[in-house]
Amino acid sequence: MDHFAYKNGVMHAEDIPLPRIAEAVGTPVYVYSRATLERHARVFREALDGVPDKLIAFAVKANPNLAVLKVLKGQGYGADVVSVGEMRRALAAGIAPEKIVFSGVGKTAAELAAALEAGIGQFNIESAEEGEELAAIAEAMGMCARCALRVNPDVDAGTHDKISTGKADNKFGVPIDEAGQIFGQLAGLPGVEMRGIAVHIGSQLADLAPLERAFGKLGELIEALRGAGHTITHVDLGGGLGVPYKRGEELPSPAEYGAMVARVTKGWGVTLIFEPGRVIAGNAGVLLTRVVRVKRGLNHPFVIVDAAMNDLARPALYGAYHDFVGVEPSGENMTANIVGPICETGDTFAMGRECDRLAAGELAVFRTAGAYGATMASSYNSRGFVAEVLVDGDRYAVVADRIEAAAIMDAERVPEWL
Ligand SMILES: *Cc1c(COP(=O)(O)O)cnc(C)c1O
């Protein structure tokens, strides 16, 4: 459920008609709904009521906008970060350092040191090499890093290859059958406190079975580690729950996920950490765009919009589907190819899509663009960075300025010897 709906034939974000935002801020622009973010945060948290001890750490990479992070902080959320840049955002949004978890295979020495300095809650170590490096850095700083070892459970998440992370040949975590040995090796080092294990098998999961298999394997590993004399107090179950991109698409609900988690983790006696991203932010945002022109095509007309693959990369990257609807639909339909202005055939949002009939100058939205949308934007084709707006009831604010192509050009230098 979200708060983007038609009122008197005009799509609104909460109480704000989208044409008002288009007039004031221009297009393309991402529009987020605070009420939707809060609702999703609450539903996910309540789904985990059966889990006694937990930290829900929003996966910042899904939507790192400071205002979005502040809304989620207000819901008691921590942050899962994958770079120092994301850590700084979480801290700037007021999220307590203890509620920050640092994941990622390529944390640099400088990033590890900065995160130690900031006093973050947990490092999710993705290799023996990283653990040794962190231990040395922490020891030199006279500190001790709280760590979980990320394991690769070798389960197929059944999602798109580019967002699968838990198969044996993916780059993430350590092989689960070597985890006991690596954990023991790292636990012996001063500078790190090995307190748990972590897993994240992929994103946009449409089925709970792979997650349940992965969590079952974690349960066995916890027993083995405890059997070897280790103290396990924290287990990070990652994120990955999918959201419906198509109307009528059925996905496991947070409640079903929560019930499965409570059942599988019963008796573990640990603090569970969750890292949801998409399920919180996905349906809380749309990308608002204006039709530049409609061009005749061989089979279908091309609806050319002013948003492009640099603003919303998912269709070009993953062949992802985003619902595309008119802001003031007439009730008539058309079958069209929806494309952006970029000089790549990949800049195609949909081919042969049945959608509202649209003409040049009219507004439309790509739905479910609140996660992995603006955060993946680039300035390809010298288009500048898209703006972001947050709506709260009958008010709204620009929460990220549009960065014009001219400002990006200003950061470039032509050496005087040219
Ligand atoms: C991307 C990522 C997440 C969030 O995934 P979603 O599918 O958006 O929930 C969580 N944890 C880690 C380690 C990630 O890389």
Side-chain angles (χ1 to χ4, degrees):
M1 213 219 95
D2 62 47
H3 290 80
F4 298 96
Y6 293 101
K7 294 179 193 172
N8 301 320
V10 182
M11 185 179 280
H12 285 56
E14 303 189 22
D15 299 329
I16 302 283
L18 291 183
R20 189 168 0 138
I21 294 174
E23 282 305 316
V25 186
T27 54
V29 56
Y30 279 91
V31 181
Y32 309 129
S33 151
R34 176 182 186 176
T36 312
L37 282 167
E38 289 180 340
R39 181 191 145 79
H40 291 174
R42 195 171 56 246
V43 165
F44 191 84
R45 187 179 58 239
E46 287 172 2
L48 294 168
D49 275 350
V51 172
D53 249 319
K54 60 185 169 281
L55 167 66
I56 307 178
F58 176 65
V60 171
K61 76 175 193 276
N63 190 326
N65 184 278
L66 280 178
V68 168
L69 297 182
K70 184 107 193 268
V71 168
L72 295 175
K73 183 226 167 213
Q75 292 293 309
Y77 276 47
D80 169 52
V81 304
V82 294
S83 69
V84 154
E86 286 189 354
M87 180 188 80
R88 301 247 183 265
R89 284 174 172 276
L91 292 170
I95 293 173
E98 315 83 79
K99 288 191 174 182
I100 297 178
V101 176
F102 196 171
S103 305
V105 294
K107 307 176 196 80
T108 64
E111 286 184 306
L112 293 170
L116 277 165
E117 200 71 61
I120 66 155
Q122 180 170 297
F123 293 82
N124 285 353
I125 298 298
E126 304 230 10
S127 60
E129 294 86 347
E130 181 193 344
E132 285 162 9
E133 191 168 346
L134 174 59
I137 293 169
E139 199 185 354
M141 292 169 72
M143 300 177 84
C144 186
R146 290 173 293 271
C147 296
L149 183 63
R150 178 165 174 185
V151 300
N152 183 325
D154 194 20
V155 299
D156 186 348
T159 184
H160 193 283
D161 272 351
K162 287 187 185 162
I163 49 176
S164 268
T165 55
K167 284 189 280 187
D169 62 353
N170 291 148
K171 68 180 175 180
F172 299 99
V174 302
I176 192 155
D177 49 4
E178 294 172 28
Q181 180 257 318
I182 294 171
F183 194 100
Q185 175 194 331
L186 296 178
L189 301 176
V192 290
E193 177 206 335
M194 297 302 296
R195 67 176 194 180
I197 50 179
V199 74
H200 171 73
I201 63 169
S203 198
Q204 186 56 13
L205 306 186
D207 182 4
L208 294 179
L211 282 171
E212 181 162 355
R213 267 200 302 285
F215 299 166
K217 289 186 176 196
L218 283 192
E220 290 165 22
L221 179 59
I222 294 168
E223 254 181 68
L225 290 169
R226 285 180 173 156
H230 298 297
T231 304
I232 303 297
T233 56
H234 290 73
V235 175
D236 187 333
L237 298 181
L241 204 55
V243 298
Y245 281 92
K246 287 183 186 152
R247 265 173 287 190
E249 199 177 354
E250 283 293 329
L251 283 146
S253 67
E256 290 166 310
Y257 170 81
M260 181 274 283
V261 167
R263 176 163 46 78
V264 176
T265 64
K266 197 160 189 272
W268 283 11
V270 297
T271 298
L272 287 181
I273 301 173
F274 299 89
E275 302 171 343
R278 192 188 308 270
V279 74
I280 305 298
N283 282 315
V286 298
L287 174 57
L288 176 59
T289 185
R290 197 180 285 283
V291 177
V292 176
R293 72 176 57 84
V294 180
K295 171 183 170 174
R296 269 196 310 275
L298 189 57
N299 295 311
H300 305 297
F302 290 97
V303 171
I304 306 168
V305 296
D306 66 1
M309 65 188 279
N310 73 302
D311 307 304
L312 177 62
R314 298 186 66 259
L317 264 184
Y318 317 131
Y321 181 102
H322 282 269
D323 221 358
F324 178 72
V325 297
V327 166
E328 297 177 78
S330 65
E332 277 182 79
N333 284 0
M334 70 193 298
T335 303
N337 304 324
I338 319 296
V339 301
I342 281 184
C343 293
E344 292 227 11
T345 301
D347 187 25
T348 296
F349 294 107
M351 291 295 284
R353 177 77 68 85
E354 172 95 6
C355 64
D356 295 320
R357 177 166 294 283
L358 287 162
E362 293 183 338
L363 293 168
V365 299
F366 293 99
R367 282 183 167 275
T368 317
Y372 306 104
T375 179
M376 284 188 174
S378 76
S379 65
Y380 187 41
N381 273 211
S382 290
R383 284 171 45 84
F385 282 93
V386 61
E388 297 165 82
V389 160
L390 179 69
V391 174
D392 175 27
D394 60 3
R395 60 185 174 175
Y396 75 87
V398 175
V399 294
D401 289 341
R402 189 179 306 284
I403 300 178
E404 301 289 352
I408 298 169
M409 191 167 71
D410 280 348
E412 293 174 22
R413 303 282 171 264
V414 177
E416 61 189 27
W417 38 260
L418 269 185

